[in-house]
């Protein structure tokens, strides 16, 4: 009697890990499965602060929504997707669901990642992945290097501008994103502790 073996696909492995590791973020980035543990307190404070800032800046009145931890389907591989920490998306983004609670990349105007233990993905493979997906601007709150990085000027599937900012400086959200806003590097890195 022959024994039939089923080879697990990367998508099936991602689904299984998502069920087995509640609170962890499971992503497939350029054909590689990644798992990130739950965020720490500073990380959570940054995301709360960003929500407040985009609300105050009138993002909703501009026809945009600001959301945390929703998936973006990536064109870098058949099963590739990421779950950015914070995104500014078109107001009708829920009508553009592709699969696995991931949405079409063309509804994303801005993505912000706050680094944690997987910081190398945020400053490396995600820069390429978000650019190839057509996300107009990408901000990295790089806690590993104690700086923020703005990737913008998207052309031909690559960011032409990569600006590094230090504490005491601010990231200017690019005008074409649809919201006028300055994001102080200190608050991107530490959240609003008060």
């Amino acid at each position: 009697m022959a024994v039939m073996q089923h080879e697990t696909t990367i998508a099936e492995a991602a689904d299984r890990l998502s069920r087995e590791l509640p609170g962890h973020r499971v992503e497939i980035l350029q054909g590689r499965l990644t798992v990130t543990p739950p965020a720490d307190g500073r990380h959570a404070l940054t995301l709360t602060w960003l929500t407040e800032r985009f609300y105050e800046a009138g993002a909703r009145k501009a026809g945009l929504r600001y959301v945390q931890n929703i998936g973006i389907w990536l064109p870098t591989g058949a099963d590739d997707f990421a779950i950015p920490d914070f995104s500014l998306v078109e107001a009708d983004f829920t009508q553009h669901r592709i699969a696995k609670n991931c949405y079409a990349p063309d509804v994303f105007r801005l993505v912000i990642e706050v680094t944690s233990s997987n910081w190398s993905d945020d400053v490396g493979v995600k820069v390429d992945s978000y650019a190839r997906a057509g996300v107009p601007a990408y901000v990295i709150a790089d806690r590993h290097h104690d700086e923020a990085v703005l990737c913008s000027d998207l052309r031909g599937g690559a960011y032409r501008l990569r600006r590094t900012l230090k504490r005491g400086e601010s990231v200017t959200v690019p005008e074409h994103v649809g919201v006028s806003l300055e994001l102080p590097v200190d608050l991107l890195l530490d959240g609003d502790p008060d």
Side-chain angles (χ1 to χ4, degrees), residues 175-187:
E175 196 174 295
H176 63 273
V177 168
V179 175
S180 179
L181 188 58
E182 296 285 326
L183 303 173
V185 172
D186 295 80
L187 290 172

Side-chain angles (χ1 to χ4, degrees), residues 5-9 12:
Q5 290 188 357
H6 171 70
E7 201 169 302
T8 301
T9 68
E12 291 169 336

Side-chain angles (χ1 to χ4, degrees), residues 54 58-67 70 72 84 86-93 103-112 130-131 133-139 150-154 159 172-180:
F54 278 91
R60 298 234 11 214
K61 291 177 183 164
L64 303 169
R65 300 299 296 261
Y66 32 88
V67 293
I70 66 160
I72 177 174
F86 185 91
S87 302
L88 189 65
V89 295
E90 300 288 337
D92 69 346
F93 80 96
Y103 298 89
D106 61 351
V107 302
F108 288 77
R109 293 265 192 102
L110 169 74
V111 166
I112 300 176
Y130 292 149
V135 176
Y138 174 36
V139 175
L150 169 64
C151 301
S152 61
D153 193 14
L154 183 64
Y159 294 116
T172 301
V173 174
E175 196 174 295
H176 63 273
V177 168
V179 175
S180 179

Side-chain angles (χ1 to χ4, degrees), residues 13-186:
D15 289 343
R16 188 179 73 244
L17 284 171
S18 290
R19 287 189 306 273
E20 293 176 3
L21 298 170
H24 287 68
R25 183 181 329 188
V26 178
E27 301 170 303
I28 301 174
L29 302 171
Q30 298 186 2
R32 184 174 52 90
L33 185 63
T34 67
V35 180
T36 306
D40 63 22
R42 284 180 36 221
H43 189 283
L45 286 171
T46 296
L47 298 182
T48 300
W49 172 77
L50 284 166
T51 299
E52 293 168 353
R53 289 299 307 233
F54 278 91
Y55 171 79
E56 292 165 359
R60 298 234 11 214
K61 291 177 183 164
L64 303 169
R65 300 299 296 261
Y66 32 88
V67 293
Q68 297 178 25
N69 302 312
I70 66 160
I72 177 174
W73 202 255
L74 299 171
T76 52
D79 295 312
D80 285 5
F81 68 95
I83 304 171
D85 290 322
F86 185 91
S87 302
L88 189 65
V89 295
E90 300 288 337
D92 69 346
F93 80 96
T94 59
Q95 297 172 25
H96 300 273
R97 186 173 174 265
I98 294 180
K100 297 179 183 270
N101 292 322
C102 293
Y103 298 89
D106 61 351
V107 302
F108 288 77
R109 293 265 192 102
L110 169 74
V111 166
I112 300 176
E113 296 280 12
V114 180
T115 63
S116 43
S117 60
N118 68 335
W119 64 270
S120 61
D121 286 335
D122 293 337
V123 300
V125 69
K126 285 187 178 181
V127 174
D128 178 61
S129 296
Y130 292 149
R132 289 173 58 187
V135 176
Y138 174 36
V139 175
I140 307 161
D142 184 352
R143 299 187 304 168
H144 184 76
H145 295 102
D146 203 39
E147 62 192 18
V149 179
L150 169 64
C151 301
S152 61
D153 193 14
L154 183 64
R155 283 188 259 161
Y159 294 116
R160 302 291 182 191
L161 177 64
R162 183 178 175 123
R163 183 165 181 227
T164 301
L165 299 119
K166 301 293 183 189
R167 287 184 178 275
E169 297 180 302
S170 292
V171 174
T172 301
V173 174
E175 196 174 295
H176 63 273
V177 168
V179 175
S180 179
L181 188 58
E182 296 285 326
L183 303 173
V185 172
D186 295 80

